[in-house]
Amino acid sequence: MSLFPPASCPRIVVKIGSALLVDPDGSVRREWLEGIAADIAARVREGQQVAVVSSGAIALGARRLKLARGGRASLEDAQAAAATGQIELSRVWADVLGANGLTAAQMLVTLGDLEDRRRYLNAAATLDRLLGLGVVPVLNENDSVATEEIRFGDNDRLAARVAQAAGAGGVVLLSDIDGLYDRNPALPGAVHIPRVERIDGAIENMADRGSASGMGSGGMVSKIAAARIANAAGAHLAIASGRIAHPLSAEARHTLFVAEKAAPARKAWLAGGITAHGTIHVDAGAARALGQGRSLLAAGATRVEGDFARGDLVVIAGPDGRPLARGLAEYPSDDATRILGRRNEDQAELLGYAPRSTLVHRSHMALL
């Protein structure tokens, strides 16, 4: 248990990919699953609270319904497979955890449940109560109702959001790869990266955009996005291979993304937001000011993308196009466009009403 030991990490979230839980023929890898249930039970006995984010419902349902392409030939097939497979997935987890004296609980969530502040807080309260009762929550995206426009699309980022909601100190993404490499690990000379202190452009460029198994939806890009979300909430995140027995207790190679000091809860929620409604581009001077903890003024904005209303989540991007921050817009996109580059004293005449002092206020902004 050297990775996120119970003594120093009271809560963890473990994400399990489809290829680990389900064989290519759609059958459950029961022996492997029993091993990880035993790992979880050992951690619980040591005082650690564990939540599981489990893929596999679509793969299991596709086998039962005999659907082509693993149930992913169409959105309708995926939703039908998810609705069918979720029953079996829940039963399997209840069985293997129950055999170790643990109670499992099912939580199905959508992107909207964790992007809406009130619903996020409700989910956080449910998670906290379940974990406090010694239950192991097993979470999955509610694929039977989510559409392409309003879904996570991968359980890596869901796991990071769950960790944020649960106040977990660590996230383990168990996958078919043992961490981040400086290039596609199938290429000659690929170098494993054991530790990442800061996620920057160089780290993002290393990401391989494919899922090695072809069964899951989360490649390395989604895992790095998950690390950003988790780290912003003060949780360390590890990418580790699940292609071994007892992956939560074995000493195995992995990549650890190290969190710095956690942002305040609301700012961490903003930083982890996925469904931004638009982007405000800024000049170099505004980028420096944001880094010093200041609000975004219209004078430093250069371009607006997207259609957003006041209060919507927007990304603030620097001169090179890289995201600098996320925050809540003080203006709708049409009005924001009209006052780009203008000083506050000019804005009332342009808009026909007394302007607000900022495009995005620092109190409603989280730096990335």
Side-chain angles (χ1 to χ4, degrees):
M1 298 187 194
S2 60
L3 188 59
F4 307 135
S8 59
C9 184
R11 282 184 179 176
I12 65 166
V13 174
V14 180
K15 177 262 180 178
I16 298 172
S18 296
L20 299 178
L21 193 141
V22 183
D23 276 327
D25 66 359
S27 60
V28 174
R29 300 180 66 222
R30 184 84 185 204
E31 185 177 351
W32 181 89
L33 194 58
E34 289 171 349
I36 199 165
D39 286 350
I40 292 170
R43 287 174 174 266
V44 171
R45 285 194 297 271
E46 293 293 321
Q48 191 170 62
Q49 297 172 344
V50 184
V52 174
V53 173
S54 176
S55 302
I58 292 177
L60 291 173
R63 180 187 186 225
R64 177 65 61 89
L65 298 175
K66 297 181 174 57
L67 294 174
R69 292 178 55 191
R72 297 182 184 274
S74 67
L75 177 61
E76 292 78 11
D77 276 4
Q79 290 177 324
T84 305
Q86 194 62 53
I87 295 174
E88 185 172 356
L89 183 65
S90 300
R91 178 181 57 78
V92 168
W93 274 111
D95 286 349
V96 297
L97 290 172
N100 287 275
L102 298 175
T103 300
Q106 180 191 59
M107 285 185 67
L108 296 178
V109 296
T110 65
L111 178 63
D113 293 328
L114 300 182
E115 297 287 272
D116 178 88
R117 182 67 175 165
R118 182 176 297 177
R119 286 149 67 192
Y120 168 88
L121 292 174
N122 287 338
T126 301
L127 276 169
D128 185 67
R129 183 59 177 152
L130 287 170
L131 291 166
L133 290 169
V135 174
V136 178
V138 179
L139 299 98
N140 193 9
E141 182 158 21
N142 194 356
D143 288 308
S144 60
V145 300
T147 63
E148 294 295 339
E149 293 78 19
I150 54 167
R151 64 192 304 265
F152 281 89
D154 62 79
N155 273 344
D156 298 320
R157 292 180 297 173
L158 173 58
R161 272 299 218 184
V162 168
Q164 184 186 72
V171 182
V172 182
L173 303 182
L174 292 178
S175 184
D176 43 18
I177 191 169
D178 59 1
L180 176 67
Y181 287 75
D182 66 345
R183 68 201 75 177
N184 188 321
L187 298 175
V191 176
H192 181 266
I193 310 297
R195 186 180 179 93
V196 176
E197 300 284 350
R198 181 173 178 271
I199 301 172
D200 55 17
I203 293 297
E204 290 176 336
N205 289 337
M206 295 178 188
D208 174 29
R209 294 181 177 273
S211 173
S213 67
M215 187 182 296
S217 56
M220 192 55 68
V221 170
S222 75
K223 289 173 175 54
I224 290 178
R228 278 192 180 277
I229 295 168
N231 288 172
H236 307 299
L237 181 142
I239 301 170
S241 174
R243 292 293 186 186
I244 56 175
H246 296 278
L248 292 181
S249 58
E251 295 287 343
R253 187 160 69 169
H254 59 272
T255 297
L256 180 66
F257 291 82
V258 180
E260 297 181 8
K261 182 180 177 182
R266 190 166 185 273
K267 292 209 171 190
W269 174 77
L270 285 170
I274 293 169
T275 52
H277 293 266
T279 302
I280 301 175
H281 294 263
V282 302
D283 60 26
R288 286 193 297 272
L290 292 177
Q292 295 166 359
R294 299 178 185 173
S295 299
L296 174 60
L297 304 180
T302 58
R303 182 162 56 95
V304 169
E305 292 178 0
D307 182 14
F308 51 86
R310 183 178 182 232
D312 282 346
L313 180 67
V314 295
V315 173
I316 302 172
D320 60 358
R322 289 192 177 276
L324 300 174
R326 288 174 178 264
L328 304 182
E330 292 285 345
Y331 286 92
S333 51
D334 288 348
D335 285 355
T337 300
R338 293 170 67 188
I339 59 175
L340 287 174
R342 298 301 189 103
R343 293 181 172 276
N344 280 25
E345 52 265 31
D346 301 327
Q347 293 170 19
E349 184 177 348
L350 287 167
L351 297 175
Y353 63 85
R356 299 176 185 90
S357 60
T358 64
L359 283 181
V360 181
H361 195 275
R362 63 184 182 182
S363 297
H364 307 300
M365 182 196 307
L367 297 179
L368 301 178

